[in-house]
Amino acid sequence: QVQLLQSGGGLVQAGGSLNLSCVFSGSISRVGTVAWYRQAPGKEREQVARVTSGGTTDYYGSAEGRFTISRDNTKNTLHLQMNNLKPEDTAIYYCYARITAPMRGTNDYWGQGTQVTVSS
């Protein structure tokens, strides 16, 4: 069974940095596009950044210039380095992966979510 396990996050002051990690485990044939999303209280889940299987990265909204997404295909891991954090970055962050698994085909998988809180 494929699972995404997140770590990192926590409480930080404005201007600080945090790093989020996500490890993909289980029987995996291929990992396609991976991404980070976040959901703030009372708001819809939004995409923060993504990286394709070919290594192309895209950033959305205020993440551009402050966040860096990276993937390690040999270790099946995904990271999000967040710098110059702002109170409006406060949210639950989720990792996402499009994974092909033996006998299961290709499906979307999500991590369990990690709270990031930025104090002013």
Side-chain angles (χ1 to χ4, degrees), residues 38 46 60-67 86 88-89:
R38 68 185 181 187
E46 62 178 3
Y60 303 90
S62 62
E64 183 78 52
R66 298 188 298 126
F67 294 3
K86 304 175 181 181
E88 50 265 41
D89 294 317

Side-chain angles (χ1 to χ4, degrees), residues 33-38 46-52 57-67:
T33 294
V34 293
W36 288 97
Y37 287 74
R38 68 185 181 187
E46 62 178 3
Q47 192 169 27
V48 175
R50 70 169 185 172
V51 56
T52 68
T57 58
D58 293 292
Y59 297 91
Y60 303 90
S62 62
E64 183 78 52
R66 298 188 298 126
F67 294 3

Side-chain angles (χ1 to χ4, degrees), residues 6 12 14 19 22 30 32 37 43 53 63 69 71 75-76 86 98-99 109 111 115 120:
Q6 296 180 220
V12 65
N19 187 281
C22 181
R30 180 180 182 275
Y37 287 74
K43 296 186 178 181
S53 58
I69 188 172
R71 63 188 291 172
K75 298 180 179 180
N76 276 346
K86 304 175 181 181
R98 183 80 168 163
I99 291 175
Y109 293 88
Q115 178 69 48
S120 58

